[in-house]
Structure formats: structure tokens, C-alpha cells
């Protein structure tokens, strides 16, 4: 357990289904997960929590990742070429961070999960009304 500016952080590890892609993230043990209903999140049943890029380390599998983009091409949907699992990606809402799939974390470090619905069908309107999502990818000292 690490404490940064009063926030409790733990090192979570995780990866894709086949094990080719492995990563670690520094995040709260209490995850704030978004359930988005945009077209791609609906098809993939994507649930994710957002972290700053500085709190993410790809341990292995860079050569096994491929990326899909569409529409504005801001979001970078990375997934394993072998098993097809997206364990993390760069979300349109936070291109300076990562959206990490909590179901791709190894067991033992998550204390709780709070799920918040995000209306991706009305993305622009939802981003304007959401008060904190953009700050979620900022390192703690920048907030």
C-alpha cells in the first residue's frame, strides 16, 4: 500500500486472457468503474476505471497489441492480437490516461467496486455535465 497526498494506492497487476499482455497500475483499492453505453462499449460490454498514464506500466506484450479507432479517432482501443481481450485502452474522455478493465486485474488487490453509468450515446452532453471525469487521468499532485 502506498499513500500519495493522502490517497491510498495499491499496485494492481493484470493482463489479457492468453497472458501475452501484462501490466501493472497504481490505483485505489476502491475502484470507480464506468459503464458506458456508447456503440463500442455496448458491443464489448466495456467497464473501465480511469488512471493517469504515469500510473500505468506495460510489463510485456507491446508487440502483441493492436489498435482500433473510429469516429474522432481520439480513443485508442488496444487489444491482444492473440486472444482479442482489451484489458486497457486510451479513452476519448481521457486521452492523457488509460481506461483499465477491472475484470482483467489479478485477484487480491481490489477492495470494492462502485459502478457509475455514463451516457456515451450522448457523449458531448455527458462530458459537459460530468464534473470529475477529466480529472481522473491527472496525477494526484496536479489535481
Amino acid at each position: 500500500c502506498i499513500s500519495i497526498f493522502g490517497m491510498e494506492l495499491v499496485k494492481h497487476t493484470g493482463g489479457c486472457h492468453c497472458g501475452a499482455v501484462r501490466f501493472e497500475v497504481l490505483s485505489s483499492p476502491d475502484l470507480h468503474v464506468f459503464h458506458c453505453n456508447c456503440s463500442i462499449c455496448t458491443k464489448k460490454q466495456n467497464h473501465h476505471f480511469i488512471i493517469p498514464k504515469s500510473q500505468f506500466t506495460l510489463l510485456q506484450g507491446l508487440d502483441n497489441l493492436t489498435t482500433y479507432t473510429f469516429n474522432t479517432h481520439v480513443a485508442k482501443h488496444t487489444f491482444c492480437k492473440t486472444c482479442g481481450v482489451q484489458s486497457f485502452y486510451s479513452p476519448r474522455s481521457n486521452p492523457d490516461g488509460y481506461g483499465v478493465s477491472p475484470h482483467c486485474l489479478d485477484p487480491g488487490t481490489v477492495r470494492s467496486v462502485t459502478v457509475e453509468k455514463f451516457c456515451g450515446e450522448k457523449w458531448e452532453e455527458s462530458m459537459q455535465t460530468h464534473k470529475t471525469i477529466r480529472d481522473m487521468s491527472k496525477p494526484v499532485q496536479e489535481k
Side-chain angles (χ1 to χ4, degrees):
C1 220
I2 300 168
S3 183
I4 298 178
F5 298 101
M7 287 186 62
E8 177 186 2
L9 302 177
V10 298
K11 186 187 297 184
H12 302 284
T13 57
C16 66
H17 185 257
C18 72
V21 176
R22 296 289 301 161
F23 62 87
E24 64 184 31
V25 298
L26 204 54
S27 180
S28 171
D30 303 303
L31 302 179
H32 183 127
V33 174
F34 288 96
H35 176 153
C36 179
N37 67 351
C38 76
S39 61
I40 194 162
C41 287
T42 296
K43 295 276 185 184
K44 292 189 305 180
Q45 291 296 290
N46 183 31
H47 293 78
H48 60 278
F49 62 98
I50 297 170
I51 59 163
K53 282 190 177 180
S54 63
Q55 291 174 215
F56 178 92
T57 303
L58 183 64
L59 301 173
Q60 69 181 46
L62 179 62
D63 57 338
N64 223 55
L65 290 172
T66 191
T67 303
Y68 171 70
T69 66
F70 68 101
N71 193 18
T72 64
H73 302 283
V74 174
K76 306 296 184 212
H77 298 274
T78 51
F79 58 95
C80 175
K81 292 179 191 178
T82 304
C83 66
V85 169
Q86 174 185 288
S87 46
F88 63 91
Y89 77 113
S90 297
R92 181 178 173 194
S93 63
N94 298 73
D96 58 341
Y98 287 106
V100 179
S101 303
H103 46 275
C104 290
L105 296 178
D106 299 333
T109 55
V110 175
R111 182 168 50 205
S112 70
V113 176
T114 301
V115 178
E116 177 182 352
K117 290 188 177 188
F118 182 84
C119 186
E121 290 178 335
K122 298 178 182 175
W123 195 90
E124 287 80 8
E125 182 182 317
S126 296
M127 284 302 295
Q128 286 179 2
T129 59
H130 200 285
K131 303 296 181 202
T132 60
I133 195 167
R134 290 220 191 259
D135 290 338
M136 291 178 166
S137 55
K138 303 289 184 256
V140 175
Q141 62 271 20
E142 289 183 24
K143 290 183 182 175

